[in-house]
Structures are given as structure tokens and as C-alpha cells.
Amino acid sequence: MKKSSKRSLRNSSTGGSSIPMGWSYPNSQRDRMSGRNWQRSKNDLDIEAELEAGRRYGLNQRRKFMWGLILPAFLTLIFFEILPVASAFWTSIHRARLFDKSRIFVGLDNYLHLLKDPHFFGTVLPNTFLFTFIGLTLETALGVVIALLLNRKFKGETLVRVLLLFPLMVAPSISGILFSWLFNTQFGIVDVFLEAIGFYRVPWLAGRWTAMSVIVISDVWLWTPWFAILLLAALQVQPLEPVEAARIDGANASQVFFNITLPYLSPVLTICMLIRTFDLFRQFDQTWVITTGGPARSTEFFSIYAYKEFFEYTRYDLGNAASLLGAVVMMIFGIIMYRTFARITMSEREKA
Amino acid sequence: MKKLWLIILILFCLAVWAGPAGAKVKIRVVYQPFTIHNQQVKWMQEWAKKNTDVEIEPVPLAYELYYPKVSTAIQSPKCEYDIVWHNDDWGMAWIDFMEPVDDVENFKRIPRHLWDVFWADKKHPRASAVPFIGTSAGMFYRKDLITTPPKTWKDVEAVSLKLMKEGKVKFGYVGGVKYPHAYFTLLAWMWANQGDILAPPFERDKEVLAKNGWKPFVTDVTMIEALEFWWDQIHKTKTVPADFVGYTRTAAMAIFQAGDCAMFGEDALKYGDVNDPAKSKVAGKVAFTSFPSGPHGKGPLSWDVPWGWGIPKNIPEENKKAAKRVIGYVISDEVQLDMWKTTGGIPVTTDLREQLSKTDPLFREFAVATYKAPVLVMSAGYYPEWPQVHSIWNDYCIKALMGDKKDIKKVMAQCEEELKKVFKK
């Protein structure tokens, strides 16, 4: 815009001269040397001023428009992201309990308290990472398998796809209630079935690992279809030529999958896995409904730990510190994950 | 002239529109959506139909969020609620923010110990909440299977084993175990053995507890015996379900209602649910007794503590006046009798209790089992740290029940250390 206006001005008033109008003055050193007296007419100056004013006005208008576009998002970011995080941080460096209004500055004491808490390191962190790892692995693997199975023509294909969507329509807390009753030792169908085929009833929610497995199963049930649907969508737009060419060359199904389909799916898979990693890391609803972090705090994750500190013990300072610490860990973990996935995707593409 | 008429007409319309609306006081009632509270709110709304100057707006709030949310509201410049449900063990934290309510109608008919409980440090001579129902607890048992109600832990075990052996029930006893449902198992058994979380046992005065250095009592033999009893029932005699440690009171009630269990620990006010033919297979076969006594106990145990309604200080004066009128009504005989008949909740007024004891045999049975039980305990800790102490203690008890029997004392020693940290400044 700036360049074109200059160009048009030059062309119209100086007949294509290389000296731009308005940039040289009658008594300048350059004019004296060239012996030419560049004197602009009043008309030229008016046009220039008008154009300059117009340019400035346009620029201002554009700026205003840009700010207008950015402002809602900016205000949302300030009020719903930055201020709450800043407030949480402020609380975490002061003593803040429900009935203690002293708000004494304690620096990083609350963070140190968490880092020294054996329960936090011995149970909460391992639980969170283990749950994230197992959940992600199972959901990804099953999602890929289901997507591959559905990516072919068969009778009742539409019905199966609709049924697959069913868990996605269920709220996580509802799924928690559903699974806590399914695995109830007295009334649950799982134990009734186990007993019918000659096994003992298992007190699922009375032990750390059995309770944890119920949470994992409930999460896998809820989120595997999400993987499957997204991967199926990607599979359905996959070009068939490379697959057909590979088959003509004698490649078997697993070779086609590992050398053509998987590299093709890898960008979608990366994004899906990244999103789910964060989701799994901050898991709350199902765990709260199924075990509330028990028995004896043995299935507590990051989010449950922070919730308990905040709402159950009403130690707002420690609750906020735990949340922020969780966010930092998640951020570091996310960056590592992203870089790893990006590297894998790149190498898969190169291989493809 | 026309203009004048027009102005008069507008003013008249405004007066008609604003008159009744302006005079109406809106009372926002916050409570946990539980059978008892729902019934109370229903009566408040009935009252408001007759008293058209007051409008009741119910605000149900999940139990898990209730305490922190309402605690914040009562400390704010202006509380958003006019009547708040007040649990008996929140008084120590809420006392400075609650309006004195002993001038409420019918209040003088309530025995002092029921409203003393809201401020157990004896510094505040005026009541900060109005009790509206007794939350006394004990054991429901199958009167078609058990002729003499068990009085001791040994009785409970013996009758459980007998009925299980005869194939009449799958389990002897059920009750909530996980936090905050352990009142009817772990806490009741500890108190029934003269044990407690802090020393001296059964002491509820904050000053005395502070003088004693907030000393935990959880490694005492009374506590260990209670845990050993439950350990045996879970792992040895199996008179309780295998996943007992994960039980909420709702899960426990489902087993009793299904007819799979002989005894069930709960608040008396669950009588309406266990005796309702639409919900329970054992309706009509249910009786009620106190918690059984342990080896160190002094007899069967119960508690006579209430739930109350409080009025925050930080609301307008006219709202306080209206709130007091509403609360005065829900402790009237009409409402209290309905509460007893529909839910099994023990009325809070002394004269009505006496009258019912004379005229209603079922109430007499409940009275003997609850507020007339040989041993009464104030069933909570009455200091601001109580929710935290309660939760930590409960988690360690479950940990002890999940491990080896010989490690129970070791686990409770860890619990003692954790509890000491709570009171460390």
C-alpha cells in the first residue's frame, strides 16, 4: 500500500522521474548539484497531503479494525486465563486457608511442602503417569484396530458406526457411575459373570490395582471410539494408488499397514495422541465418581490431589500450588511428547 | 390537562406493578439435596404460599462443594444466601459469621445440648443455628431374623455368622466406610469402645483439646481393637462384603434394601427409605437399635446431634427477620411430626419428643436407641481442622484394613504423625 501510493504519485506528477515527489526540496544539496530546480506546485502538495492523510486514516482504521478483532480474544485471555492463573499463583505464595485471612507471604514454601510430600511423589505422580501411559497405549491401539476394521464394506456398517459413537455421547461422570456399578461386587454384572464361569467375585474397588484397572477400563471404553472415528475419517481419504501398487508388488497386509497406512495416519495420530495425553494427565471425573481417589488415597491423580487440598482440606494455598505444579509438569511433558511425536512423524514420512 | 392524566396513569401503573413485587422479600435457602432437606424446603415453600410477603428460592448444592462454597459466601461482604443448612460440626468455623437465632419462634422448646453443639467452645452464649432435625444414628436390623438386638461386637459377629450359615443372608453387617461415610462403621465402633481421634476421648471443648496439645488418640488400644474387629470381619469371618472399604452409605443401603444383609448402620432418618415397599424388599421387617458396645465400651452407643438452619450476619435486616419467621415454622409441631412420619427423623423439641414417646410405640423404640441410649457422643470434632482430620484419619483406617492385621498399629502410628502435622503452626 505504501509502495504503490508512492509509485503512483511518482508516475503521475513527475512523468516517471526517479526522484520521488515530496522527497526532494528546491534548495537541497542534491538539486543544487544537478542544477535543476525541483519546485512542486501547490496542487501537487495538496494531493500529497491528502494522500498522506488518507494513508494515515486508512492505517488508523486498519489498526482499529485489527484491535477490534483481537480485543474479545484478548480480554477473554486476560480475564479467564491470565488473571486466574496470576491469582492462583498469588494465593500459592501466601498462606491462604478458609478461615485464615492473614495472607502471610510464604514464598515457595507451599511448593516445597508438595515436593516433600511422600504421598505426592510415591503415589500421585506414579499414578498419573501410569494411567496416562496405559490409557494412551490402549486407546491408540484399539482405536487403530477398530478404524481399520471399519474401513471396509460390510453388512450393518452404518449401525456399527452409530453404536461406536454411543460412548462419546456419555458424560465422563455418567460413565463413572456406570462402571462403578458394573464392577460392584454384589450387584455388578462383571462379578456375576465371573462367578458363573467358576471364578471368585473380585472386590474391584477395595484394592489399589483393581480399582485403578476399573478406572482405566472406563476411560478406554469412553475414549477409544474418539480415536477410531478420527482415524477412520483419515483412512477414508487415503489415496488407494500406493496401496494397490504395493499389493501388485507383492506386499502383504502387515507390510502395507506399517509402510504405507501407518505413515499416512501418523499426522492425525500425533494430534490425537497429544490431545489425549493432556486429557489423561488431568483426568478427574471418572476417578472421582468411581473411587474418589481411594481406597486410602491409593488411586489419586494430580487433579484429585489438588481438589482434595482445595475443597476437602480447604487449604487454598496448597491446592493452588498443586494445580500450578501440575500445569508445569504437564507443559514440560507436553513439549517432550510433541517433539518426540514430531520426530517420529517426520521419519515416518521420509520412510513413506 | 391531558399530560397530567397521562402522568397519573403511568404512576398508577408503576405503583400496581412495583407494589407487591417490592414488598416481597426473597429468601434464598441453600442446602444439600437430601431427603430431609428436600422435605424441609417443601414446608418452607408451603409456608410462603400463606405468607405472601416472603418468597422462597431453594438453592440445592452438592455436598462435596457445600462447605467451602457456603463458608466463602458467609465471609463475603454480602452473602448470597439468607438461610444456610448448618451441619453440627461446622459451628466452630462459622460461629463469627452467623446471626444469633435464639429469638426464633419455638426455639425455647429445643433442649440446650442440641444447639450448644454448634459452638462447642462455650464462649458464645447465643445459638448460631436452629436445630431442625435430630441426626441420631444406630443400626437397622431385620426383626424377622433377629429377635434380640445385638448389644456387643461379639453379638454382632455371632448373629451374623449364624444367619449366614443358615443361608438367610449373604452378610451380617453393612455401612459406609469411605470418607465421609464412616460414621456408621469406623467412627461408631471407635466411640463404642470409648476411643476417639483426639485425646481426651469424648472431649469436645476446643480449649481443653488445645491445652492437651491436640494430641491424637489413634494408637490407643480402643482404636486398634475397633480396627481389628473390622479386619476380622473383612478377611476372616467375611461377615461384611469383600469390598467393604470402598462403601458409601448409599452402596451399603442398597445391600440392606435388597435383603442381603441382617444389619445396617445409618442415621435414624433413613427409616423412611429402608421401610418403603417401593424401594426396599425388607420393608415392614425393620427395627432399630443403638450401636453395639466394644470390649472397652460402657454400653450401646448413639448420638443426639442435629442439623440446623443458620442465618448469615451479612444479609439485609429485613431478610433476617423473614428468615427467622420461616425457620420458626419448620420447627413447629406440624412440620416436625411430618418429618418423623415421612423420614424417621427425630423431632428436636423436648415436649414433642415426650409426647411421641407416650403415644407412638415406634418412636419409643427409636428414642431408646438414640437420644436415650446408655452412651451418647457428640459425633464429630468441633474445631476448624475437623474436615481435614476426619479425612486423614479415615484414609489411614482404610489403609490399615487393607494391609496385614499385625501392621494395624504401625499404620495408625503413621496416622498419628500426619494428624500432628495438621495442628502444627
Side-chain angles (χ1 to χ4, degrees):
Chain A
M1 187 73 185
K2 205 173 176 181
K3 274 186 183 171
S4 67
S5 63
K6 277 179 198 165
R7 202 171 292 135
S8 62
L9 197 65
R10 188 189 303 152
N11 292 341
S12 62
S13 314
T14 62
S17 158
S18 61
I19 303 163
M21 189 194 285
W23 286 14
S24 59
Y25 295 91
N27 296 322
S28 69
Q29 176 76 16
R30 186 175 180 170
D31 292 335
R32 278 198 300 275
M33 282 172 75
S34 67
R36 291 175 69 180
N37 186 12
W38 279 89
Q39 196 66 270
R40 288 172 305 169
S41 67
K42 190 175 178 290
N43 194 26
D44 282 345
L45 284 170
D46 287 348
I47 292 168
E48 188 189 345
E50 270 173 29
L51 283 167
E52 182 61 24
R55 196 179 65 82
R56 278 193 189 146
Y57 177 75
L59 208 62
N60 283 344
Q61 287 299 100
R62 258 179 67 189
R63 270 195 196 132
K64 277 181 193 165
F65 182 64
M66 275 157 55
W67 274 108
L69 287 178
I70 294 168
L71 200 65
F74 182 69
L75 289 178
T76 309
L77 192 73
I78 293 281
F79 286 106
F80 296 101
E81 299 275 343
I82 295 170
L83 280 181
V85 171
S87 154
F89 179 70
W90 188 91
T91 311
S92 75
I93 55 171
H94 290 80
R95 187 178 161 83
R97 308 282 160 97
L98 185 57
F99 288 94
D100 182 353
K101 287 184 173 174
S102 59
R103 302 292 185 266
I104 301 163
F105 178 74
V106 293
L108 296 176
D109 276 7
N110 289 322
Y111 291 92
L112 290 175
H113 174 93
L114 293 176
L115 294 172
K116 282 180 196 166
D117 184 358
H119 175 65
F120 186 74
F121 269 100
T123 310
V124 175
L125 269 185
N127 278 354
T128 311
F129 282 111
L130 195 69
F131 175 72
T132 306
F133 177 74
I134 296 175
L136 190 67
T137 310
L138 289 176
E139 284 164 23
T140 311
L142 288 172
V144 171
V145 170
I146 293 171
L148 287 172
L149 288 174
L150 288 179
N151 191 31
R152 59 185 69 190
K153 296 269 171 226
F154 60 92
K155 218 176 172 183
E157 183 190 340
T158 320
L159 181 73
V160 172
R161 285 185 190 171
V162 171
L163 286 177
L164 188 71
L165 283 172
F166 175 70
L168 292 176
M169 297 171 201
V170 177
S173 50
I174 305 293
S175 128
I177 295 171
L178 191 74
F179 275 81
S180 61
W181 281 108
L182 277 177
F183 284 87
N184 181 289
T185 315
Q186 306 315 315
F187 308 110
I189 190 82
V190 176
D191 272 18
V192 170
F193 175 73
L194 284 178
E195 202 174 43
I197 58 168
F199 289 97
Y200 287 113
R201 287 181 180 237
V202 179
W204 293 96
L205 302 180
R208 179 183 183 183
W209 300 115
T210 44
M212 188 81 114
S213 60
V214 175
I215 301 169
V216 171
I217 292 169
S218 136
D219 200 79
V220 168
W221 176 80
L222 194 66
W223 289 105
T224 299
W226 181 80
F227 267 97
I229 295 289
L230 290 177
L231 294 174
L232 181 63
L235 279 174
Q236 296 207 321
V237 289
Q238 182 189 10
L240 291 175
E241 291 81 1
V243 179
E244 282 163 3
R247 282 194 183 135
I248 290 166
D249 288 345
N252 60 27
S254 75
Q255 283 171 324
V256 169
F257 175 72
F258 285 108
N259 294 306
I260 297 171
T261 310
L262 195 60
Y264 177 78
L265 285 180
S266 59
V268 181
L269 209 54
T270 304
I271 295 298
C272 287
M273 287 172 79
L274 207 63
I275 294 171
R276 279 303 296 147
T277 304
F278 289 130
D279 276 351
L280 284 157
F281 203 88
R282 58 186 186 195
Q283 221 279 350
F284 181 83
D285 326 40
Q286 286 142 287
T287 315
W288 186 254
V289 174
I290 295 171
T291 66
T292 54
R297 302 188 75 180
S298 62
T299 57
E300 262 185 34
F301 302 133
F302 242 130
S303 47
I304 303 267
Y305 181 88
Y307 177 91
K308 278 197 163 186
E309 282 295 344
F310 201 98
F311 288 105
E312 213 163 282
Y313 303 159
T314 60
R315 299 195 290 201
Y316 300 152
D317 43 5
L318 286 170
N320 277 312
S323 306
L324 291 176
L325 200 65
V328 171
V329 173
M330 212 188 295
M331 208 183 286
I332 295 168
F333 190 61
I335 291 168
I336 295 169
M337 285 274 293
Y338 185 78
R339 288 197 174 161
T340 313
F341 283 147
R343 206 174 300 138
I344 293 168
T345 309
M346 197 72 89
S347 73
E348 290 285 354
R349 273 186 177 176
E350 277 165 13
K351 228 194 280 174
Chain B
M1 195 61 185
K2 266 187 184 176
K3 266 187 185 173
L4 184 67
W5 278 114
L6 194 65
I7 290 167
I8 291 169
L9 187 70
I10 290 170
L11 286 174
F12 176 76
C13 289
L14 276 173
V16 168
W17 172 75
K24 225 168 197 184
V25 180
K26 189 189 262 188
I27 298 294
R28 300 188 85 224
V29 186
V30 65
Y31 59 99
Q32 67 153 335
F34 197 65
T35 324
I36 303 298
H37 302 80
N38 294 339
Q39 195 72 4
Q40 281 273 301
V41 172
K42 191 196 90 183
W43 278 106
M44 287 183 184
Q45 286 171 319
E46 286 296 318
W47 178 88
K49 279 181 195 165
K50 289 173 201 158
N51 296 269
T52 49
D53 57 328
V54 179
E55 187 188 336
I56 300 290
E57 189 189 336
V59 187
L61 195 63
Y63 179 78
E64 285 77 8
L65 298 175
Y66 190 91
Y67 180 67
K69 167 78 181 148
V70 177
S71 297
T72 311
I74 60 173
Q75 292 182 80
S76 67
K78 188 184 176 298
C79 185
E80 59 193 291
Y81 313 115
D82 303 297
I83 297 179
V84 298
W85 165 54
H86 194 314
N87 211 347
D88 66 289
D89 52 352
W90 297 337
M92 290 312 303
W94 285 11
I95 182 76
D96 295 330
F97 308 98
M98 305 310 288
E99 178 76 5
V101 283
D102 41 14
D103 52 346
V104 160
E105 197 187 345
N106 291 315
F107 185 84
K108 289 191 170 49
R109 296 168 57 205
I110 299 171
R112 188 178 173 114
H113 72 271
L114 280 184
W115 52 271
D116 261 356
V117 73
F118 292 115
W119 45 271
D121 67 352
K122 296 182 177 65
K123 271 183 191 165
H124 301 268
R126 298 191 69 186
S128 59
V130 179
F132 66 83
I133 200 90
T135 57
S136 305
M139 288 195 310
F140 290 103
Y141 66 93
R142 294 274 301 274
K143 62 182 177 190
D144 57 325
L145 304 177
I146 302 169
T147 42
T148 315
K151 295 262 182 278
T152 64
W153 296 359
K154 273 187 182 171
D155 294 345
V156 168
E157 190 178 280
V159 76
S160 299
L161 287 170
K162 181 179 167 281
L163 292 172
M164 284 164 70
K165 201 176 168 189
E166 288 168 0
K168 289 182 176 159
V169 285
K170 286 184 188 169
F171 307 106
Y173 188 92
V174 282
V177 180
K178 76 181 196 183
Y179 177 83
H181 305 270
Y183 283 94
F184 321 104
T185 52
L186 305 175
L187 280 166
W189 255 246
M190 174 185 74
W191 288 322
N193 202 28
Q194 290 294 299
D196 216 328
I197 297 179
L198 297 180
F202 284 45
E203 180 56 64
R204 294 295 179 263
D205 190 326
K206 203 170 86 160
E207 282 181 10
V208 178
L209 293 169
K211 263 184 204 161
N212 202 41
W214 300 104
K215 200 177 154 199
F217 199 57
V218 294
T219 49
D220 188 73
V221 65
T222 49
M223 179 77 246
I224 305 301
E225 279 175 356
L227 288 173
E228 281 175 348
F229 172 85
W230 287 119
W231 195 97
D232 285 343
Q233 307 312 306
I234 297 169
H235 303 284
K236 214 168 113 191
T237 58
K238 300 187 193 299
T239 61
V240 298
D243 52 349
F244 193 51
V245 293
Y247 269 37
T248 60
R249 56 204 289 181
T250 317
M253 188 165 73
I255 294 183
F256 188 70
Q257 285 174 319
D260 289 343
C261 188
M263 289 161 278
F264 164 50
E266 244 299 349
D267 277 332
L269 43 79
K270 280 285 175 185
Y271 182 69
D273 290 316
V274 294
N275 208 41
D276 180 354
K279 293 179 188 170
S280 173
K281 281 185 185 172
V282 295
K285 302 171 187 169
V286 181
F288 192 70
T289 188
S290 316
F291 288 112
S293 177
H296 286 82
K298 292 176 181 169
L301 167 126
S302 185
W303 46 84
D304 187 21
V305 292
W307 277 340
W309 292 118
I311 300 172
K313 275 183 181 167
N314 52 348
I315 61 166
E317 283 304 316
E318 58 171 343
N319 289 40
K320 286 180 190 171
K321 279 180 195 161
K324 283 182 181 178
R325 285 166 59 206
V326 181
I327 295 173
Y329 175 69
V330 293
I331 54 169
S332 67
D333 285 358
E334 183 188 9
V335 179
Q336 291 284 299
L337 272 172
D338 171 75
M339 297 296 290
W340 159 244
K341 281 176 186 163
T342 53
T343 65
I346 309 284
V348 288
T349 45
T350 313
D351 49 338
L352 187 60
R353 282 183 173 190
E354 279 167 14
Q355 186 196 319
L356 281 170
S357 288
K358 284 174 196 158
T359 56
D360 185 340
L362 183 67
F363 184 83
R364 206 158 36 240
E365 179 191 322
F366 273 67
V368 169
T370 56
Y371 67 92
K372 289 182 181 173
V375 183
L376 287 175
V377 65
M378 284 168 76
S379 58
Y382 299 85
Y383 39 87
E385 295 86 357
W386 166 245
Q388 197 183 343
V389 166
H390 180 190
S391 170
I392 290 172
W393 171 84
N394 206 146
D395 284 332
Y396 272 96
C397 287
I398 290 176
K399 202 174 168 186
L401 294 176
M402 286 163 67
D404 280 342
K405 192 176 175 182
K406 61 178 169 46
D407 291 335
I408 289 177
K409 196 157 187 180
K410 207 163 82 184
V411 174
M412 293 320 283
Q414 290 169 6
C415 176
E416 186 176 335
E417 289 310 308
E418 279 301 307
L419 293 177
K420 279 178 186 168
K421 281 184 201 166
V422 175
F423 295 102
K424 215 170 161 184
K425 294 289 170 194

